[in-house]
Amino acid sequence: MSASAIVMLCVAIVTVWGGLAAAIVNIVRHPEEPED
């Protein structure tokens, strides 16, 4: 694999997992309370 391909792979991984981690943190900090 070329260096540019490895860089793009790392960027994609960080984007996906970073977004997932941000979503989890957001849910934990602001849990949705069911409205009765």
Side-chain angles (χ1 to χ4, degrees):
M1 293 177 68
S2 62
S4 62
I6 294 173
V7 169
M8 290 301 296
L9 182 66
C10 291
V11 169
I13 291 172
V14 169
T15 300
V16 171
W17 289 103
L20 184 65
I24 293 172
V25 169
N26 191 23
I27 291 171
V28 170
R29 292 173 109 188
H30 306 286
E32 294 185 10
E33 298 179 358
E35 297 181 6
D36 294 333

